[in-house]
Amino acid sequence: MFLSMTGFGSKTQEFSWGTVSFEVSSVNHKYQDFTARLPRELLSLENRMIMLMRSLIGRGKVKLTAEIAWNPGARIPALDDEGLMNLFNQVRRIAKRNNLEIPNDITSLLSVPGVLDGSSNVAEEAAREKPEIWDQILLSAVDAMMEMKRSEGSKLKTKVEADLKILQDILESLNERWKTANSEALEGLRIRMSSVMEHYDLDIDEARIAQEVALMSDKWDVSEELARLEAHIDKFRQTMEIKEPCGKKLDFLIQEMNREVNTMGSKVNDADFRWGVVEAKTCIERIREQIQNIE
């Protein structure tokens, strides 16, 4: 399954006391990385929501943001009158002790944190008593994000398939060139060895020359690398069609494909073959860049 690690989804739910908005976004990341930014009323659900997202999303750096827009009159301020009076009496005592003007107006203390609590317990009670309400909102936001991830993944898959076709064509060219280059290299080696022996007036032992040519042939033979690269391409195509996220598996296969191509480049000196190797490495790199975005 081709799922992009980049996606965004949102869900808005209206209640009698206000509107709740959930937004879920995801970007590339090697592992699972989940964070949540919730209003105070929903903080008790943070772990629950992160665990729910972990069960639905594979790799990626995922961020959940929730906001509450309260309806007019829905948030009734709660006054801590005892705390306010204690604070007011402390201020008066300090003013008297330091020969300052003793304040008589208490309203200036209402802005002190904790004195006037402007929050409402409605959402907080719902979070505590009916957490499944918030689960459904989160699931809807995640579903919207997953739809975007599938859409982006489909586009990435099309690009990767096109590059795989190019890589397959390059592999076929390398196979054809190797058949010719191998024969040319072996014949060239045999001629050079015969020339050296003639130059130094040495006895020419055709069997010995054949043995040396065979040994050198083993050293620069790339038939196994070509076969393994073709097998990796076939496995890559099969993996692209599995029903589960396949990014990590494809990344491993790309590393193996790149290793085979590098080995071929180090073995063969033929100019045309080495240029084909460069084209193959370029194509593999394009594929690698694309699958870095796959979950």
Side-chain angles (χ1 to χ4, degrees):
M1 181 189 300
F2 254 56
L3 283 177
S4 171
M5 279 194 280
T6 303
F8 174 83
S10 63
K11 174 63 177 178
T12 299
Q13 183 75 40
E14 294 185 357
F15 296 91
S16 60
W17 40 264
T19 302
V20 176
S21 299
F22 277 28
E23 292 184 352
V24 183
S25 60
S26 174
V27 295
N28 293 4
H29 197 272
K30 191 173 182 180
Y31 306 107
Q32 282 188 331
D33 185 1
F34 293 85
T35 57
R37 192 183 71 185
L38 307 176
R40 187 182 65 82
E41 293 81 4
L42 303 182
L43 283 178
S44 62
L45 297 175
E46 182 173 350
N47 288 336
R48 180 188 179 96
M49 291 183 175
I50 288 179
M51 292 302 296
L52 180 57
M53 290 191 294
R54 283 186 181 277
S55 68
L56 299 171
I57 304 168
R59 292 193 299 164
K61 186 178 180 66
V62 182
K63 181 180 180 181
L64 165 65
T65 302
E67 294 182 352
I68 299 177
W70 298 93
N71 290 336
R75 305 184 77 182
I76 303 174
L79 178 64
D80 182 2
D81 53 353
E82 183 177 351
L84 176 61
M85 290 309 301
N86 287 335
L87 179 61
F88 180 63
N89 289 330
Q90 288 183 43
V91 171
R92 287 174 60 86
R93 285 197 299 270
I94 292 172
K96 184 177 181 179
R97 188 166 57 245
N98 293 277
N99 295 320
L100 301 174
E101 182 180 355
I102 300 176
N104 293 313
D105 185 6
I106 202 172
T107 57
S108 61
L109 300 178
L110 294 177
S111 61
V112 175
V115 171
L116 192 61
D117 186 359
S119 66
S120 172
N121 291 328
V122 178
E124 193 169 355
E125 290 173 0
R128 199 167 47 245
E129 298 174 4
K130 297 181 178 180
E132 62 275 7
I133 295 176
W134 313 105
D135 290 349
Q136 291 304 316
I137 301 175
L138 176 58
L139 286 173
S140 296
V142 171
D143 284 344
M145 183 184 71
M146 295 300 290
E147 181 60 33
M148 181 176 178
K149 286 160 68 74
R150 283 189 288 270
S151 176
E152 292 296 318
S154 178
K155 296 175 184 178
L156 290 172
K157 185 178 180 181
T158 300
K159 293 180 181 178
V160 170
E161 286 174 338
D163 280 327
L164 271 182
K165 177 62 171 62
I166 295 173
L167 182 60
Q168 184 74 56
D169 293 341
I170 295 172
L171 176 58
E172 292 176 2
S173 298
L174 288 173
N175 263 311
E176 290 300 317
R177 181 55 194 164
W178 166 243
K179 295 175 183 177
T180 304
N182 186 38
S183 299
E184 292 175 351
L186 293 178
E187 180 60 20
L189 176 61
R190 190 191 68 79
I191 292 173
R192 288 195 299 274
M193 291 179 65
S194 297
S195 176
V196 169
M197 296 183 74
E198 289 178 358
H199 178 77
Y200 290 102
D201 194 23
L202 301 174
D203 291 335
I204 298 177
D205 185 348
E206 292 295 338
R208 178 63 176 174
I209 292 178
Q211 183 181 13
E212 291 299 324
V213 170
L215 290 173
M216 293 303 297
S217 175
D218 287 339
K219 290 184 179 180
W220 65 50
D221 180 62
V222 294
S223 56
E224 291 186 6
E225 286 79 4
L226 289 167
R228 283 196 294 266
L229 179 57
E230 185 170 6
H232 291 331
I233 293 175
D234 291 340
K235 185 62 176 179
F236 195 98
R237 286 198 170 100
Q238 294 172 17
T239 305
M240 288 172 62
E241 303 302 326
I242 64 177
K243 300 301 182 182
E244 59 191 46
C246 56
K248 285 187 176 181
K249 294 180 180 179
L250 295 179
D251 187 52
F252 171 77
L253 285 171
I254 278 293
Q255 293 179 39
E256 293 300 306
M257 292 159 69
N258 195 58
R259 184 177 293 110
E260 302 299 344
V261 172
N262 283 334
T263 302
M264 287 189 286
S266 65
K267 282 187 174 183
V268 180
N269 291 324
D270 178 75
D272 291 338
F273 189 93
R274 290 176 70 90
W275 179 247
V277 166
V278 171
E279 291 183 324
K281 292 177 68 174
T282 302
C283 188
I284 289 174
E285 180 61 22
R286 285 201 305 270
I287 297 174
R288 189 192 67 80
E289 289 176 356
Q290 295 297 332
I291 65 171
Q292 294 303 307
N293 300 319
I294 299 300
E295 182 179 317

